[in-house]
Amino acid sequence: MGVYTHFGGVPELLQAVADEGFSRQAAVFGRLPETADPMADLCAMALACHDFARSNPHLYDLMFGLSIHGRYSPSRGEAGPILSGQSASFQEAYAYLHDGCVRLVNTRCVRQADPDLIALQFWSTLHGFIMLDLAGHFDNVADPSSDILLPMCINLVVGLGTKRGRADISAADAKAMWASTQRSKTSKALTQ
């Protein structure tokens, strides 16, 4: 009865759990430093999202409706502008990705293009990778983040007009930034 009293039913409970996941994901994105390099920042966000999904595979699954046939996916609204039917928690997390793509265009890291569509391309690339990784398709790859995810990010921005050398440097900077963030997190955990 508690579920029905507080949430109205199982679908609403699952949506509340998914929304909590998106709030946590937004908090992870919010802790990432913003640098002068939007490509590096987007790569760091991809690494953070991958880490979040690996640390919370069942929550991530629920958030995106992967194993439950999309029944409780974050989209419950009517068709409208891109992602308009998503929950407020989803919108909060997605805003970090979208803002990073706006920065890519505004700083001329990529050719002039619609940042909304760039964000959807980046999001599709990222979540497709994560879905395959969580399903175990990359178990034989030594470091899926370095060997698959970051090269995909590089290929995406190169396809959008960035010079490969610049994209390679941004990805290397993101990897170093992410490693530093992880070391800091580990140090804090050890001292507590």
Side-chain angles (χ1 to χ4, degrees):
M1 287 305 298
V3 169
Y4 295 102
T5 301
H6 295 290
F7 299 102
V10 173
E12 292 82 7
L13 170 64
L14 293 174
Q15 186 63 49
V17 173
D19 286 344
E20 174 62 22
F22 285 117
S23 293
R24 290 179 187 185
Q25 188 178 44
V28 167
F29 292 158
R31 286 191 293 271
L32 294 172
E34 185 175 298
T35 70
D37 183 350
M39 285 186 291
D41 294 352
L42 281 169
C43 287
M45 192 178 307
L47 293 169
C49 191
H50 183 224
D51 182 65
F52 176 82
R54 278 189 154 190
S55 298
N56 304 282
H58 301 294
L59 178 59
Y60 190 88
D61 184 336
L62 178 67
M63 290 163 59
F64 290 97
L66 300 177
S67 68
I68 50 178
H69 311 294
R71 183 170 175 199
Y72 304 109
S73 67
S75 178
R76 290 180 174 256
E78 305 228 350
I82 296 174
L83 303 177
S84 64
Q86 307 292 347
S87 72
S89 297
F90 175 89
Q91 293 285 359
E92 178 186 9
Y94 189 78
Y96 285 97
L97 172 68
H98 182 267
D99 292 349
C101 292
V102 169
R103 286 182 60 220
L104 271 182
V105 173
N106 288 346
T107 59
R108 298 191 173 137
C109 289
V110 298
R111 69 179 170 272
Q112 190 62 40
D114 183 346
D116 291 341
L117 296 177
I118 293 172
L120 290 172
Q121 291 172 38
F122 196 89
W123 184 50
S124 297
T125 299
L126 174 60
H127 293 294
F129 164 81
I130 290 172
M131 183 176 70
L132 290 170
D133 186 46
L134 292 179
H137 292 281
F138 306 138
D139 287 349
N140 293 329
V141 177
D143 185 353
S145 288
S146 293
D147 297 335
I148 301 169
L149 179 58
L150 288 178
M152 282 190 337
C153 292
I154 291 168
N155 291 336
L156 180 60
V157 293
V158 167
L160 292 166
T162 298
K163 302 261 188 241
R164 180 159 297 275
R166 182 172 182 197
D168 288 338
I169 290 168
S170 293
D173 289 348
K175 188 174 177 180
M177 179 178 22
W178 181 246
S180 174
T181 301
Q182 293 305 98
R183 283 191 298 274
S184 293
K185 188 168 88 173
T186 302
S187 293
K188 287 179 185 174
L190 291 174
T191 58
Q192 292 179 350

